[in-house]
Amino acid sequence: MQSTELDTQQFLNSLNTALVMVDNRLNIVYANHAGEALFETGRKQLCGHRLDDFFLPGNIDTTRLRAALRHGEDFTENEIRLCFRDNRNVMVDLTVTNLQLEEGARLLFEVKKIDQQKRISRRSEEHTSELQSLTSS
């Protein structure tokens, strides 16, 4: 690897956000350290395997992911529960970005874990905002 590639790898691996990239067949082709931690396994066990192999059936909407690949769409979902095959459940905010690379279309998943306190705080802020809009009307 060249120096800039090593710097990029170090940077990506220093992030707290899990990054996971899949190819057009939804096979995992990349995961940073936070991505490995999310899946609780190493890169060698992740890469080459289908994304939905790690989750309970029906937890990953592969139809939506394939459509995002076909149409070049990005999307974000907040407060979704990922249900892994090992019966772990993780609440996350998820951003999926469509990338067109030399190797072909890819989807990059940015996954941020949400802890319970943060979720409660977010709901409280939303509730306060709703109350303020109702009282100012």
Side-chain angles (χ1 to χ4, degrees), residues 17-83:
T17 299
L19 299 176
V20 178
M21 186 182 301
V22 298
D23 64 14
N24 60 352
R25 290 181 299 241
L26 302 181
N27 292 322
I28 297 172
V29 295
Y30 174 79
N32 69 350
H33 289 325
E36 294 172 22
L38 175 70
F39 283 82
E40 293 187 355
T41 192
R43 191 170 302 163
K44 288 181 182 178
Q45 288 76 28
L46 288 172
C47 290
H49 292 276
R50 286 180 45 91
L51 181 67
D52 55 346
D53 286 349
F54 295 92
F55 299 95
L56 291 176
N59 189 236
I60 300 296
D61 187 352
T62 56
T63 303
R64 182 173 187 191
L65 296 177
R66 284 192 176 85
L69 277 164
R70 264 193 320 276
H71 303 295
E73 297 172 349
D74 304 339
F75 62 90
T76 298
E77 292 204 13
N78 293 312
E79 295 186 13
I80 63 168
R81 184 173 305 281
L82 296 178
C83 302

Side-chain angles (χ1 to χ4, degrees), residues 68-111:
L69 277 164
R70 264 193 320 276
H71 303 295
E73 297 172 349
D74 304 339
F75 62 90
T76 298
E77 292 204 13
N78 293 312
E79 295 186 13
I80 63 168
R81 184 173 305 281
L82 296 178
C83 302
F84 290 86
R85 285 196 185 266
D86 64 3
N87 292 320
R88 286 182 302 118
N89 290 300
V90 180
M91 186 69 76
V92 301
D93 287 340
L94 172 70
T95 299
V96 178
T97 305
N98 195 298
L99 302 173
Q100 298 300 319
L101 305 177
E102 288 179 19
E103 302 86 13
R106 302 283 190 260
L107 291 178
L108 177 65
F109 295 80
E110 296 175 62
V111 186

